[in-house]
Amino acid sequence: MHTAIRVEGLGKRYYLRQREPYGTLRDVLVRAATLPGRLARGTARRGGADVLWALRDVGFDIRDGEVVGIVGRNGSGKSTLLKILSRITEPTTGHALVRGRVGSLLEVGTGFHPELSGRENVFVNGAILGMRRREILHHFDEIVAFAGVERFIDTPVKHYSSGMQMRLAFAVAAHLEPEILLVDEVLAVGDAEFQRKCLGKMKDVSLQGRTVLLVSHQMGQIRRLCETVIWLDQGRVRAAGAAAPTIRAYEAGNSDPLDPGVSGPCFRGWELSSGGHVLTDTSTPFTIRVHLDLTTPVSNGHFGLSILDGEDDSVVAGWAWDPLNLPAGSPIFEVRIPQLPLRPGMYRLSLALFDGGNNLTGGRLIEKWTAVQPLGLDVPPVAHPQTEWAGLLNVPARLAVAGSVPVERTWELAGVPDDTAVPQ
């Protein structure tokens, strides 16, 4: 398999301009004398500008047909990296070798002229991507149908909502058959239905042997699509490798269970009694510990705990307990769950505490908190091997054929055994 993208020693430097104050000759001489030290620290000024390295010494290889997710906090260099790969900006150091035609969707409405109609912008944007008019005409009806803007295709784009612009821009980039598709955090603008269509389209693109780079803060999207993940932190590659362990490291590195910045006024954090936030066995009992900080007592209270799907926050399991009578202080709730037969992945905990009843009896809500630290289920899939058919549950089943010896199979992460038929 050939290399589609090769990045070596990549760096991008920006100058943050500031107003230069009045200075004496002595000030000029002092700045000149201290320049080498400030250059070494990466904080030198150039004409009143601070130096910011958005990327520094970044390197990786991406093979043809690979779907790669890029994660990191805001300001970590993700968008800058995609702009360099799409040739919008030049790197300061190093180089990026990109083999193949690139389609990029980096900002809503990129390449659209507000006074032109949607139809005209499809041809303009397609031409920007290097497509011939005949090729655009061949895919035009598919693009418009996918974007869902049939009624407005001859309306000027300036009258489109940001969601409509994003849908049309994505449809152009995805349907004009680039060998490499670069997608920045723009799917967040669309509704849930369109996000599913986009994810399905990117999956289809990857199955056709084309390469996809996806920048997203939505870890559910990254887990569903990407086999490899690159974690950028302050402009450098902090980790890169298989999706599951890299995402777990990224999420763990960005949360402290008792940090006030990731907790609420009442709920301070949670962890498993075995430690951490990842379950490796969902078929046996386990305990969730919830830390609280109560400034006043709770009388006839109510505590609710729900597990939410990590992709759409739908409730997959929930429990509630009342009445609770608690003194002020720092109690620890221990929730014992006999088993949790959910498919592997990341989930979220939603917690609520009421005083004087519950939400149905007029109780006072003290706090409703969705935990920052996700609950990870790191277990092998034992149901259907294809995610779209597996559902939420991860429950093994047995098959008997005409009274013969039952067939029992545990699906392994490596794939489906050659001698086993897969039900559709």
Side-chain angles (χ1 to χ4, degrees):
M1 187 176 293
H2 296 92
T3 299
I5 299 174
R6 171 163 291 166
V7 172
E8 294 181 347
L10 202 65
K12 181 62 179 179
R13 179 182 59 208
Y14 291 102
Y15 294 102
L16 306 179
R17 296 289 173 184
Q18 297 181 356
R19 186 181 299 275
E20 184 70 13
Y22 172 79
T24 64
L25 176 60
R26 184 182 64 179
D27 296 329
V28 174
L29 293 175
V30 169
R31 283 198 297 271
T34 59
L35 178 62
R38 289 183 287 119
L39 281 173
R41 296 192 300 270
T43 60
R45 292 176 181 271
R46 178 185 174 185
D50 285 337
V51 172
L52 170 67
W53 284 92
L55 294 172
R56 198 141 199 186
D57 197 26
V58 172
F60 54 82
D61 286 349
I62 296 175
R63 301 186 303 274
D64 286 331
E66 200 170 4
V67 183
V68 178
I70 303 177
V71 301
R73 290 185 174 184
N74 291 331
S76 61
K78 305 184 300 297
S79 296
T80 301
L81 174 61
L82 260 60
K83 287 177 181 178
I84 291 175
L85 295 179
S86 57
R87 299 295 187 257
I88 292 175
T89 187
E90 291 292 325
T92 306
T93 63
H95 66 273
L97 177 62
V98 180
R99 294 189 176 96
R101 187 164 58 182
V102 176
S104 60
L105 187 58
L106 306 185
E107 295 178 8
V108 174
T110 298
F112 280 6
H113 192 293
E115 299 295 336
L116 299 181
S117 69
R119 182 187 303 274
E120 292 165 331
N121 270 297
V122 168
F123 285 91
V124 171
N125 212 11
I128 291 173
L129 294 175
M131 309 299 167
R132 293 192 176 95
R133 180 178 177 82
R134 182 172 57 185
E135 188 177 359
I136 299 172
L137 284 170
H138 178 71
H139 292 285
F140 183 82
D141 290 341
E142 299 174 46
I143 292 169
V144 175
F146 187 91
V149 294
E150 294 94 332
R151 290 181 57 195
F152 312 101
I153 192 62
D154 292 308
T155 301
V157 166
K158 67 181 179 180
H159 298 304
Y160 285 20
S161 68
S162 59
M164 292 168 65
Q165 291 184 41
M166 185 275 298
R167 294 202 304 268
L168 187 58
F170 181 89
V172 174
H175 281 80
L176 296 184
E177 300 181 352
E179 280 124 344
I180 299 171
L181 180 61
L182 309 178
V183 183
D184 203 347
E185 184 74 60
V186 293
L187 299 186
V189 181
D191 55 29
E193 179 183 357
F194 185 71
Q195 286 189 25
R196 286 193 293 270
K197 290 174 65 176
C198 290
L199 292 171
K201 184 62 180 177
M202 284 190 282
K203 185 174 182 180
D204 292 342
V205 167
S206 68
L207 292 176
Q208 294 167 8
R210 290 181 273 166
T211 306
V212 179
L213 264 71
L214 172 64
V215 168
S216 179
H217 288 287
Q218 301 183 40
M219 293 302 103
Q221 292 180 355
I222 297 292
R223 288 187 179 90
R224 286 180 58 187
L225 275 176
C226 304
E227 53 204 44
T228 303
V229 169
I230 298 170
W231 173 13
L232 289 180
D233 186 20
Q234 297 182 352
R236 298 179 183 270
V237 176
R238 177 115 173 234
T246 307
I247 291 174
R248 285 200 299 271
Y250 166 65
E251 291 175 325
N254 285 284
S255 65
D256 182 346
L258 298 181
D259 181 354
V262 297
S263 65
C266 169
F267 292 108
R268 296 283 292 133
W270 75 273
E271 77 275 340
L272 299 168
S273 60
S274 57
H277 303 89
V278 178
L279 272 177
T280 56
D281 185 356
T282 58
S283 63
T284 58
F286 65 96
T287 299
I288 295 175
R289 286 201 185 106
V290 180
H291 299 262
L292 296 93
D293 187 6
L294 301 177
T295 58
T296 59
V298 172
S299 177
N300 188 30
H302 170 93
F303 170 59
L305 169 66
S306 298
I307 296 178
L308 311 180
D309 187 286
E311 296 178 4
D312 58 13
D313 280 352
S314 59
V315 177
V316 296
W319 303 267
W321 298 268
D322 50 25
L324 295 176
N325 296 291
L326 305 168
S330 301
I332 298 176
F333 290 169
E334 293 194 346
V335 180
R336 182 77 166 170
I337 300 175
Q339 59 180 348
L340 193 65
L342 295 175
R343 67 182 177 189
M346 302 301 287
Y347 298 82
R348 305 175 72 193
L349 298 187
S350 178
L351 306 97
L353 184 65
F354 287 80
D355 182 33
N358 56 42
N359 59 316
L360 300 178
T361 60
R364 177 181 66 88
L365 177 64
I366 299 176
E367 185 187 356
K368 185 178 188 299
W369 180 62
T370 300
V372 173
Q373 308 86 5
L375 169 64
L377 304 188
D378 189 8
V379 294
V382 296
H384 200 288
Q386 299 174 21
T387 301
E388 58 266 38
W389 300 103
L392 283 174
L393 299 181
N394 193 40
V395 180
R398 303 178 72 189
L399 169 67
V401 181
S404 63
V405 177
V407 178
E408 188 168 356
R409 172 78 67 186
T410 298
W411 298 107
E412 299 295 340
L413 288 172
V416 183
D418 294 337
D419 60 345
T420 305
V422 178
Q424 294 291 335

